[in-house]
Structures are given as structure tokens and as C-alpha cells.
Amino acid sequence: MFSYTLPCGGFKTVTTMTNEKITFDPPVYEQRYCYAIQILEDPRWTKQIKKVVEFGCAEMRLFNLMRRIETIEHILQVDIDEELLKNNLSRVNPLISDYIRQRSGPLRVEVLKGSVADSSEELRGTDVVIGLELIEHVYDDVLAKIPANVFGFMQPKIVIFSTPNSDFNVIFTRFNPLLENGFRHLDHKFEWTREEFKSWCLDIVEKYPNYLVSLTGVGDPPKDFESVGNVSQIAVFVRKDLLDKPLVDPLPSKTEPVDEFTTPYKSLQVVDFPYYTDTRTVEEKIWAEVEYELHRCMRSEDNFDIQHQVYKMPMDLLLQHTQSFGATPDILEKLLEENDMKVEDGYIILEENPYNEEDDLCFNNDTSEVSYEEVPQREDVEENWDLV
Amino acid sequence: MSDQTRGRRRLSGHGDDPCSSSEQGPRPKVFKASGSSTAITTVGSAPTASGRPSGSSTAITTVGSAPTGSGRPSRYDLRYEIINTRPSDVVTKQGTDGMQIRLQTNFFRLITTPKWRIYHYHVEFEPDIEMVRVRRGILSDHSNVLGSAFIFDGKQLFTTKKLEKDLTRLQGTSKTEINYTITIKYVGTISTAESRFLQVLNLILRRSMKGLKLELIGRNLFDPNAKIMLREHHMELWPGYETSIRQHERDILLCTEITHKVMRTETVYDILMRCINNPARLQEDFRTNVLGLVVLTDYNNRTYRINDVDFGQTPRSTFSCKGKDVSFVDYYLSKYNIRIRDQKQPLLISKNKDKAQNTQKDEMVILIPELCRVTGLTDNMRNDFGLMRAMSNHTRMNPQRRIERLHTFNRRLQNTPESVKVLTDWDMRLEEQLIKLNGRVISPQKIVFKANKVSAGNGADWTREFRAATMLTTPRNGLSRWAVIAPERNSRELRTLLESLMRVGRGMGFNISNPTELKIRDDRTGTYVRAMDDCARLDPMLVLCLVPNNNVERYSSIKKRGCIDKAIPTQVVTIRVANNRGLMSIATKIAIQINCKLGYTPWMIELPLSGLMTVGFDIAKCSRDRSKAYGGLVASMDLKENSTFFSTVAECSAYDVLANNLWLMLAKALRRYRYEHNKLPTRILFYRDGVSSGSLKQLVEYEVKDIAEKLKQEYQKAGENTQPMLAYIVVTKSSNTRFFTDSYQNPPAGTIVDDVVTQPERFDFYVVSQTVRQGTVSPTNYNVVYSTIGLSPDQIQKLTYKMCHLYYNWSGTTRVPAVCQYAKKLATLVATNLHAIPESALEKQLYYL
């Protein structure tokens, strides 16, 4: 066991209980997502996290948050319910704005139909495994295979599991009875007390001594009922090398064959997010901005010097607008000179574009004197459509 | 306990999260209003002031699914509506005159067998199922019976394969292990004249395009991976395709137009940062820069129009979300893992009047400048020659290149197995070659000057000929009494300008005398206006103002003084013009404009028909108040002996389909005609521009009927013993249809197409009325929605082409009939500069040129 604390030291949540109901702010599911994201973004290891597998991803809501982390390069969304995945496939597509403001690094998303108990090839090389409110939905046979698959086969750096805390149910039953199966949800196969979950976790770290586990939770108990614990309990497993501790067992080799009884995953969708590595030099970037600023300047009549019939752009304004790109007075001066721009008394002098008025787009601008050409006229009879 | 299961899975029953299907990804914008008021804050919706997500979160998309049998037609559906506007007595819409020309088009044929039909079935479930998604799920298990090509909207089923029996019963089981009986009952086939036919076709098209890996933005598909970056303009151009499929004259055709989407890389926050160097004017500057902009948010694919800015709030402010107060900072962090960097920026307000999104009218959506990406071009940008040139360098395509791109598109579809499979499943095949057809070229028209007639030539341009011609009519004593206002320091430029004007005037038979000169000390707007008041006492025929630059405020003030208060035509010229090398050709243009503004005529055409009044109508949106618009109506008073026009303008609602003041305007024109000719016109040819595609039906049902009825009454009242003869023609400039010659050139001006790519339910034709030197020419579409005019298709087509020769700002043909071009120009002047109705004393002068 070790004690993991979020880099932010935990977040502010409010649990309010009245005679009628209990509310959590933010909602518990949001707290879970937020917790998982904070772990992924923990500066201690965030740079070492490239591949994340989420089991039981359902509607793929967590994906929407994970995909904003620019250093993650590979996200696997795994669920056993193929139809549910198919109905939500569009959620892993990039948005239009993702093509405009592109990521700085690649991101591949794979949506896979498969079981958390199966050691499919796609799972190799995973850095983080996430399974939120997953284990309570599986029958014993599957549950029994999870540790071997995750900790034995995948051996990621971090594993996050969450599951309901049945100690908390006494609070819920103040308002509503549990469902007919005795749980919070019809599909739950069990709900564990904190002790039960802890012992499951401790069994794992005993069998897989490369890992340390920290138990925590989200959804704080209401005031004066602290003893029931959190609504949802969370186990964070961290591989010892991540905490600068020596590993007990060697890590698996990449070529170790998978269990022959395992069912391979079915790939439903693979999406590559657009990304762009800007290879321009700082000066090139600044110059592109300068061009933009100069162009804008010429769009406003306010910048037109009537006397000299030129547009003027103040140098200090240009500097102000390009500073964030690293511009300094020296760099600007150098770039303007290189590009043959005229600078006078702190202003950049811009000659206007050749005259072009609205209708000139279709007006013949040919000013050369052209002799009058007689266009041969056909001798046709003048038409008359009037009825005589 | 819903909090515990939120974000979880596998709810009992069919209780799939109702909002999950309508969240992300480019989607059609139509939502059925939902009866449920359980507001669920969906991912993908922005927080709203009322705490409700924008757009109905429990929405069911109606489009992209299938035509709804009973659902009221949404705006989106209107696009697929087939409106029969062909007047019933039209025997043929094809003309025969002119020289035959072989043309290629941007259409591909979809080949079907002669027996190809779309069959319509009605589907019922026993016991009944409410959720459409569940109904679809259960039915999709029966693809062994139905095949893979069917469209099912929950009730109606469409397929090209006829089932063995007219009544089919199937057994199905839901995930919750309830057994259902499915009854599929044959209703009939769908005729090609039905709107549903069009809807089904477009759904098939959309499915077949899915495999192309293109992004759907609005209605069109774009390829962001092939984008062109214009860094110096903070812009990107995304190449794409605009496609539509429908039953044309003989076949089902796929129209494909190559387009480009302008994407701006700036956020609204970048605009804010630009305003910050002037703190005193920050709020005002920012407002003027962002109000009316359409933005795309970073966290969903929706677009919003910015209606207001709230400087009193910041992202730290809270809004009510599911009964709790949440700050915008926290909201975006928890919903999207997006961190708002500047927590002091103001907030944007969108009243989302997007008619396509059936949201509550007063609903407001609050947006964060940092997360809003600006889309589209502002008027300012459109007027930016440098920018437009930079863009057109990338987007302009000559016919050759366009045809190549069309073939590339075709190959892309043919080589995408998914796409081909969709078409094959529906028993369709896309032809590889572009559709070819025969057009006709109307011979060049004659331009009538005072002493001579010249042919407009094959290029439909008489600029050269014009230089040696005398204008048809000019004031008897020329421009004898007029005034100029110019800054004192620009005396030299004024002299140059006046000399040039007099010189070119003499050449055109237009005598320009020395004006009264008013020298002003400064170039302030007020100074110009005072000077105008001073010279108004001289009762000038025209006032020319020499101004230092194109300042909009000054221009507007001068125009207002002239058009509204004093009824004096004005000519505004910038000093730059006087300094320009091309001054002579510009002076020619100014002299013609002045002559027109006085009410005289540079040239006319030969019109083989007497008693004809042609009318043009167009709309421009008010620059100040986007809910307002102005409609301009311009009518020819005489085209036989002279060519003069009557112009009038009225305010109308920007959202109203009907131009509500239309009849009043037309009545004014009729009275004027009667005053000049002692009788009402024998024939009226009405060109109606400014009709959006979705409003054709209403136009035909209300506006046209109303005008025809009122016209009849007017003729009776006037004691005319004849019925008015009217043709009502809807003009569409922005058609996607393109024509190319066999030798990969633009077709010549005067090319008419009235077959193959026209629509069977319409009396429509295309006219290529302009010659373009660069890029591809756009033909204009004319749809005759009403006709008692008693002219043959040949005559209507020819008249239309003739009418494109009368726009006096340009010595060549225009894309639309001159009366439409004038109406547009007039409406635009009023909507952007005057914001009030001009003095009626000017109605017989083209004062707005």
C-alpha cells in the first residue's frame, strides 16, 4: 500500500443531504472522470503515458476528456457491448475545429469489442489501464481473469479501478430502496464493502509484487456520516519503477505469446487525429504574423495618410501584436529590412494596391487606345414580335 | 440515484441515454421539438443562460434518418421539396432559336434499370415500441429478408427490392428479451415527382459518400487533409464538393460542384486582443468587430451567431446547470477537459436564431471568446482586394481544371468499395462520364447609341465601341448647373478630374460645363454636409464630392443628404481616383454614371415588342439591424424608343419570405408607366431575385397569386379592356450548374440550356449571359413560375438575354437582367448607407449607381 494524493491535493466537492435527497456537486460520475484525468495529468509521470486502455468504455464519455491531453498518443476504447459501441462510434471522430487547431502530436483511437478478461494483441505496450465502475458488472469467471490479464499480461504503469462502496448504501436507502437484486443498478453482480475491495486489491499486489496500491474514493459522505466512506471507491495501482522503486519481477517481453484460449478483440473503428508539427523557425512565424498585421492595416482607412497617399503602420503596435510570437524590435527591424519594407519615423510605409473599385472587377481596365473596329453586322431583318 | 448511474451503462429496458445519439459529429441541424422537459446537460451543448442546453437534448434527428411520414416539414426538408411551378398551359419549355452548341456539364447520370422503383412499406410493432432507435435495431436484424438497402424512419420503410408478399410478418426479439411481431405492409411505389423520392435519393447519396473520408460542414463535404493554408491572412481553404441528386428532365442526375470552405484560424479572443491597444474604445471596438460573426466552437461542431457581448461577466461567472451554479471555467474543464486560459475575458451571447435548430426563440447561449473560432468572411474582408485575390488564386479554376477535378471525384467514389456497395445495393450505378447536352447560342445583340448601332460582339462587351459613340440621350444643355465640393488642398486633383470629365463627356456627346466650386478647409463629414446645404440653394442638377478616402460614415452622410433630404443626385469620387494612371477610363465611367443619375440614357437595345414593362426585384439586409431588410424594385418605363427606369425601395422583414410591400411598389411603377404612356403596360415581365431555396413554395402560393390578383383588379379599375399579361420569373444566380464546351472552354455569352439538366416540374432555363476571362462562368437559372404573357419560350429566353445588356455601370452584359442588378444596387445603398427611404423625386433617375 502507498498513499496517493492528486497533484492538486484533491478537489472541492460538496455533498448535501436533506430529508428528501442527497446531492453531490459535481455529480459523482464527473468526480470519477475528473479523478482519472488528474492521475493521467500528474506531472510525475504524465510524459511517460502514451497508450491508455479503457475497459468498459460504454458511451465513451471519458474519451472526450482524455483526448485533450496532448501527450497521449494512443487510446483504446474497449467494451463488450458491440451495439452500444457502434451507436457511439461518432464520438471518437475529430471535430471540425480539431483540423484547424491541430494537436502537436499524433493520437490514434481504436474502438474495440472485447472482454477485459481476454489478452488480445492490441493490449500490448499499454501504459495506463482504466476501468471505471466496471468490475461489479462482470460475473465471477471474468472477474477472476482480470488480474492475470491486466497485471500479468499487460503490466501497465498505472491501473485505475473504481467500484461502488456498499457501505454507503445505508445512506441511499434513506430515500429509496435498493433494486430487486439488492444493488444500486440492475446489472450489478455484486457491490463490495471497503474491506472486500481492499482485500481484492491486496491479493493483486501480493501476487504481482511490482505494484503498489492506494485506495481512495469520490463522492464524499454527508456530514456526520463520515464512517460510511465514499459513494465510489477507487484503487490506484502504480508500478514500482514509476515511483523510483526497484521492480521485483522482470517486465514481460513484447513477444510473449498470448494465451491460446483468449478471444481476440474485434476492431470497430480506428481514427487518427490530425496533428501538425510546426517546423517553421521563430523568425518565419513572426514574419507570417507581420504580413498579417500589415495586411490588416491596409484594410482600415484610418491608417491611410491622405497627404502622402500611403498606409502607415506604427512599429510599436506591430511589436505589441507580434510579441507573443517572440518578436523584438531588433528582429522586426531585421525582417522588415530583409523584405524591403520602408520604415520612416517609427512607421512602416505601405503603398496601396493598384486602384480597383467594385465594378472594375467587371469593367474593362484596358486603357490603351484601341482603334474603333467595325464589327461586321449581319444583314438580318429587324425582328418584331408585336401582333399586327 | 441517477447520479450513480450517469456515465454508466446498460440501463434496464430500452433506456438508452436519449441524448447519446445526437451529440457529436457533424449532424444535420434539425431537431424535433421534444415534449420532455427533463433537461439533461449533454456533452456537446454549450451552457445556456436559462441553464438548459442549447438545442433540445432529447432530440431525435429527423434528417439523416428518413423522411417522416407525419412530421411537419422542417426547414431542412424544404430543400428536398419538389414544388411544381410549371404553369399548366406550358406545352413545351424548349426553344429552337440560335446556333446549336455541344456542351458538357457538371452532372453525372445514375443508371437504373427501367423497372427501378422505390417501394414504400408501413411497419408496425406488436407490442408497440416508442423508441425509434429500438425499432430500427430490431428491424435491422432482418436484413436477410430486407436486404441491406433500406431506409427506415421508425414507421415508413423504403427499399428498391419488392418483398415477396404485400404483407410480411416477422418475429423479433429486443435486447431485453421481449418478443415482437413486426408487420410490414406494402403501401405503393414512390413517384419521381414526390418530395419523398428526393429525400430517399439524397439519403442514399449521403450514405454512399460516407466512405470518402470527408468532413461534413453544413451541407457540403470537405477534405481538411487537402487544405490550403493562407497564414498571412489567418485562413485556411478547405476544398470540397457540393452535391445534390434529383430527378432531372429524363434521368436521375448527380450534380457536383467543386467548392472551397473558408476557415479562419482566429478565435474571437484573438480579435479581443487586437482591440486592447485602445482601452478607451475597447468595448465599442470589440462589439463592432464581433457582432454578427458566426463562430464554430472548439468543443462541438455547432455554429453560433454572436448577438451580444457581456463585459460584466467572465468565465468565472456562474450559470445554472441542472439546478446548480457552475462557473464556465469548471464547466469546460469537467465536460471537455478544456482549460480556459484568460479568466477575465468577457462573454459572448448568441440568441441562436438559427431557424434550422428548432430551439426556443428567446434562448440564449453563452460562449467563451477563447473557444470560438470565427468562420466565414466579413464584408470588410470581401472588400479587401488583396485578400480576395489571394483566395481566388487558389480557388479559381478554369473549365479544364474543373472538369479534371470532377473526374477525380467520380473516380474517388468508384474506387471506394463502401460507396459503390451502397449504390449497388440500391441497384444504381454512377456513370463515369459527364453528361453532355445541346445548348443554343443567341446571336450577339445590337447596342443602340444616338447615331449608330454596334454589335455587342461574341464577347458581349462594347467598351471599345462605346468610346467612339454618342450617348443615346443627354440633357439638352448638358450638365450645365452643378457643384463640386473639394478640400482646398486637393485643388490640383480636382482640376485634373474636371478636365478629364469634360474631355470624355465631349467624346460621348455629353456637355459638361464648369461647376460651382466649393472649397472646404477640412475633410470632416460635417464640413461636407454643410457645404452640401450651401450649394443646395443653387438648385444644382448634381453635386460631386471629392473625398480623401472611402470613409463609410462620410460617404453615408453625403448620400443621405443628397438622396433623402435634398433630392439631389450626388457623385462621390476619392482623391486616389484623380491620381490614378487609369483616370481616363475611370472618368468615362463617372461621366456615364452622372448622365444616368440625371435620368438620361447611355444606350439601349433593340426590342421587338411594344408595351412591355420589365421589373426587377431584390433584397439587401440592413447593415445596422439584421432583422430588417430593404427591397428594391426597378421597372423599365420604355425600352422601345428610349431606355428609362423607375426605381422604388421599401423596408421589409429580413425573415419574411414574402416581400410584403411588393404590390405597393409594383403599383407605383404601374402608375408611373400609365402616366408616361397613357395606358398600362400590355405585358409585364417580372424578374424576382432574392428568393431563398426553401421559400419557393410560399412564394408561388402567396406572393405570385397575390400579385396576379391585385394586378387584375388594377387593370379593371383603370378601365383597361384587356387582362394583364404577366410572367413571373424567379432568378437564381447561385446555381451549382456549370457548362463547358466540348473543347474545355466556357460557353459563349448568350448560351441557353433548357433541357436535360433542367427540372421536369418547372418551366426553367439557364442563360450564360457573361463572358469571363478567368475561372468558370456561372449560368443564371430562370424559373418561370407564372405566365400569362403569351410569349414563346424562345421569346422569353431572348428577352431575358437582351435585358442583361442594360446595366449602365458596365459596358457589357451582366449576370442577371439589368432591372435586377439595379434593384440590388438600390437596395444595398439603402440598407448599408441610407437606412431610410430616398426622396421620391429621384425615382426616375438612377441616382444610386
Side-chain angles (χ1 to χ4, degrees), chain A residues 11 59 74 87 104 108 115 117 124 173 211 221 241 254 261 264 277-278 295 302 312 315 329 359:
Chain A
F11 35 74
E59 293 103 351
H74 200 169
N87 283 330
S104 54
R108 166 167 291 196
S115 163
R124 288 189 200 273
T173 50
Y211 289 88
D241 52 336
K254 291 241 161 82
F261 300 110
T277 324
D278 198 342
H295 192 86
D302 295 344
K312 285 170 129 184
M315 275 294 275
D359 284 313

Side-chain angles (χ1 to χ4, degrees), chain A residues 24-25 27-30 32-33 37 41 56 58-59 61 64-65 68-69 79-81 83-84 87-88 90-97 99-102 132-134 137 172 176-177 184-187 231 276 278 280 288-289 291-293 295-296 299 301 304 306 309 311 317 320-321 352-353 355-360 362-364 366-368 370 372-373 375 377-378 380 382-386, chain B residues 1 3-12 16-17 20 23-24 43 133 175 215-217 224-225 227 231-234 236 238 263-266 274 277 296-301 322 324 333-339 373 380-381 384-387 389 443 446 452-455 463-465 467-468 489 523 548-550 575-577 579-580 582 585-586 589 606 608-610 795 798-799 809-810 825:
Chain A
F24 303 91
D25 181 20
V28 179
Y29 76 95
E30 239 173 57
R32 267 192 302 264
Y33 290 162
I37 292 297
E41 289 182 334
E59 293 103 351
R61 288 173 190 272
N64 230 335
L65 303 171
R68 298 276 170 188
I69 304 172
D79 203 291
I80 196 75
D81 187 339
E83 205 186 319
L84 183 65
N87 283 330
N88 290 285
S90 67
R91 290 198 183 203
V92 298
N93 287 340
L95 295 172
I96 295 166
S97 63
Y99 289 97
I100 304 171
R101 200 194 60 83
Q102 301 191 354
L132 299 182
E133 307 294 272
L134 165 77
H137 288 272
F172 283 136
N176 284 306
R184 298 178 194 175
H185 191 290
L186 278 180
D187 190 56
V231 177
Y276 177 73
D278 198 342
R280 292 176 300 165
E289 286 311 298
E291 279 192 295
Y292 175 71
E293 292 297 335
H295 192 86
R296 266 182 63 93
R299 211 185 285 152
E301 287 294 319
F304 189 66
I306 293 153
Q309 297 282 306
Y311 289 90
L317 188 65
Q320 200 184 320
H321 284 170
E352 64 177 322
N353 285 320
Y355 174 79
N356 203 292
E357 218 184 274
E358 167 210 32
D359 284 313
D360 275 336
C362 52
F363 213 89
N364 191 345
D366 183 9
T367 50
S368 61
V370 191
Y372 175 61
E373 277 175 67
V375 179
Q377 304 254 323
R378 275 190 300 151
D380 48 8
E382 223 173 85
E383 282 180 276
N384 186 5
W385 300 348
D386 287 334
Chain B
M1 220 174 286
D3 257 344
Q4 273 63 59
T5 51
R6 278 307 312 241
R8 275 310 310 160
R9 58 235 214 98
R10 298 178 197 98
L11 289 165
S12 53
D16 246 326
D17 188 343
S20 58
E23 280 182 15
Q24 252 191 22
V43 184
R133 175 120 61 86
K175 272 197 286 179
E215 284 290 318
L216 184 71
I217 305 174
N225 296 314
K227 68 184 179 183
R231 278 224 181 79
E232 67 279 18
H233 296 288
H234 285 188
E236 293 176 354
W238 293 18
M263 303 300 271
R264 288 165 65 184
T265 53
E266 269 181 329
R274 240 168 261 291
N277 49 40
L296 172 75
T297 50
D298 273 359
Y299 44 85
N300 60 21
N301 276 343
K322 283 189 285 174
K324 279 178 235 153
L333 186 62
S334 62
K335 288 283 179 232
Y336 304 104
N337 198 20
I338 293 177
R339 283 185 178 76
R373 233 153 262 283
N380 205 342
M381 290 174 170
D384 181 343
F385 180 66
L387 171 62
R389 187 172 47 188
S443 51
K446 277 180 211 148
N452 62 327
K453 289 180 194 176
V454 300
S455 165
T463 309
R464 289 173 184 185
E465 291 80 358
R467 293 213 177 113
R489 60 160 187 273
D523 56 28
N549 59 21
N550 289 323
I575 287 163
R576 274 178 257 184
V577 167
N579 284 328
N580 198 280
S585 79
I586 297 163
K589 186 179 152 189
E606 288 180 332
L609 193 62
S610 51
Q795 286 171 322
K798 217 179 223 178
L799 266 182
N809 256 1
W810 168 231
K825 185 97 173 141

Side-chain angles (χ1 to χ4, degrees), chain A residues 243-262:
Chain A
L243 299 166
D244 295 325
K245 291 192 167 76
L247 289 174
V248 181
D249 296 330
L251 292 175
S253 80
K254 291 241 161 82
T255 50
E256 217 167 284
V258 294
D259 182 354
E260 59 181 296
F261 300 110
T262 208

Side-chain angles (χ1 to χ4, degrees), chain B residues 703-717:
Chain B
E703 185 179 302
V704 178
K705 263 192 193 152
D706 186 58
I707 293 284
E709 189 53 42
K710 293 222 169 80
L711 201 59
K712 214 182 248 177
Q713 291 165 10
E714 183 80 6
Y715 273 63
Q716 271 166 9
K717 247 189 349 207

Side-chain angles (χ1 to χ4, degrees), chain B residues 185-325:
Chain B
K185 206 171 140 197
Y186 179 64
V187 180
T189 58
I190 296 191
S191 108
T192 57
E194 275 181 77
S195 298
R196 268 191 299 204
F197 182 75
L198 204 53
Q199 287 179 318
V200 171
L201 278 185
N202 277 280
L203 283 167
I204 298 170
L205 175 66
R206 182 173 291 203
R207 285 186 186 177
S208 73
M209 304 266 278
K210 237 182 175 171
L212 294 181
K213 302 269 178 246
L214 297 167
E215 284 290 318
L216 184 71
I217 305 174
R219 296 167 178 178
N220 306 322
L221 291 159
F222 296 93
D223 187 354
N225 296 314
K227 68 184 179 183
I228 302 153
M229 310 255 263
L230 299 177
R231 278 224 181 79
E232 67 279 18
H233 296 288
H234 285 188
M235 263 177 203
E236 293 176 354
L237 295 171
W238 293 18
Y241 306 101
E242 198 168 336
T243 54
S244 69
I245 185 169
R246 61 151 56 233
Q247 171 75 38
H248 284 268
E249 221 60 65
R250 277 178 279 282
D251 297 298
I252 298 169
L253 303 180
L254 170 68
C255 175
T256 309
E257 162 64 344
I258 314 290
T259 58
H260 286 84
K261 183 94 191 160
V262 177
M263 303 300 271
R264 288 165 65 184
T265 53
E266 269 181 329
T267 65
V268 176
Y269 185 75
D270 294 329
I271 297 176
L272 178 72
M273 284 301 103
R274 240 168 261 291
C275 298
I276 244 158
N277 49 40
N278 195 342
R281 272 173 40 193
L282 169 69
Q283 299 203 356
E284 193 198 329
D285 277 3
F286 185 56
R287 257 183 230 276
T288 35
N289 274 302
V290 304
L291 293 193
L293 288 182
V294 174
V295 295
L296 172 75
T297 50
D298 273 359
Y299 44 85
N300 60 21
N301 276 343
R302 293 211 188 136
T303 54
Y304 304 87
R305 184 182 293 280
I306 301 174
N307 300 104
D308 204 355
V309 182
D310 191 342
F311 285 97
Q313 294 203 65
T314 69
R316 287 198 196 134
S317 309
T318 58
F319 68 101
S320 170
C321 174
K322 283 189 285 174
K324 279 178 235 153
D325 286 344

Side-chain angles (χ1 to χ4, degrees), chain B residues 600-652:
Chain B
Y600 293 85
T601 313
W603 68 79
M604 63 173 194
I605 45 155
E606 288 180 332
L607 189 75
L609 193 62
S610 51
L612 175 75
M613 180 167 98
T614 58
V615 186
F617 180 85
D618 206 345
I619 290 178
K621 273 197 183 176
C622 180
S623 61
R624 277 195 193 156
D625 176 355
R626 287 267 150 191
S627 67
K628 271 200 217 163
Y630 289 92
L633 181 138
V634 175
S636 69
M637 289 290 111
D638 172 22
L639 293 170
K640 220 70 188 139
E641 305 299 322
N642 190 349
S643 168
T644 61
F645 298 92
F646 172 87
S647 314
T648 182
V649 65
E651 195 187 310
C652 49

